[in-house]
Amino acid sequence: MYCPECGFHQSEAHRYCERCGALLIVEGQTGETTGPFSMDGDELDPAGWAAAAIEGPHLAVRAGGGLEGELFALVGDRVTIGRSPKSDIFLDDVTVSREHAMIVRDGDGFRLRDLGSLNGTYVNRRRIESEEPLEDGDEVQVGKFRLALLAG
């Protein structure tokens, strides 16, 4: 695939040009970003998710980047989120910093920590300064991705 702006050749796995950051147009995909987000009672119930095969706490992608419905288990004491392929939760988009955020297990609950990201990290549409506790059903926004914590 070639970038329509600078002509740089790259794999079809990318949505943005590695050289200039322009949106790559892939047949069958739109360039739209996410719109307003809200969860109703049915969506908060993990039993209503057809793909909910993960037991225990996890993040569910509700909107953004074509990953809707993707589930990420929260295993271990720390789960990293970022654009780096080494991240536990890899979100490949220029709106996400390489080392964007981290979820830390805090006793029986979780805390979301921003790692100095450029675009910020949000919990329930409110930008966090450094760290914020998470509860079941909370919306986490990292770049253009919106995820829901399902504590299971």
Side-chain angles (χ1 to χ4, degrees), residues 43-124:
E43 290 180 308
L44 289 173
D45 179 15
W49 290 46
I54 297 177
E55 290 187 28
H58 56 280
L59 283 178
V61 180
R62 301 298 299 143
L67 295 178
E68 292 83 1
E70 190 85 24
L71 302 174
F72 297 99
L74 300 178
V75 179
D77 292 335
R78 296 171 186 261
V79 176
T80 58
I81 303 171
R83 191 169 32 97
S84 168
K86 294 180 182 178
S87 297
D88 298 315
I89 299 176
F90 173 55
L91 301 175
D92 189 17
D93 188 81
V94 295
T95 61
V96 178
S97 297
R98 289 190 187 280
E99 296 177 355
H100 197 104
M102 178 183 298
I103 295 180
V104 179
R105 190 175 296 269
D106 184 16
D108 290 335
F110 295 95
R111 299 185 70 73
L112 178 65
R113 182 179 299 159
D114 182 80
L115 299 177
S117 65
L118 182 63
N119 291 325
T121 304
Y122 297 78
V123 174
N124 298 325

Side-chain angles (χ1 to χ4, degrees), residues 1 8 18 20 22 47 50 59 64 88 102 108 115 130-131 135 140:
M1 166 182 297
F8 184 70
E18 293 178 65
C20 72
L59 283 178
D88 298 315
M102 178 183 298
D108 290 335
L115 299 177
S130 61
E131 199 172 87
E135 296 181 13
V140 173

Side-chain angles (χ1 to χ4, degrees), residues 15-16 23 29-37 62-66 68 93-95 141 143-146:
R15 293 196 44 173
Y16 294 89
L23 177 64
Q29 289 183 353
T30 65
E32 297 176 5
T33 58
T34 61
F37 175 86
R62 301 298 299 143
E68 292 83 1
D93 188 81
V94 295
T95 61
Q141 183 173 348
K144 71 178 186 179
F145 295 89
R146 295 189 186 207

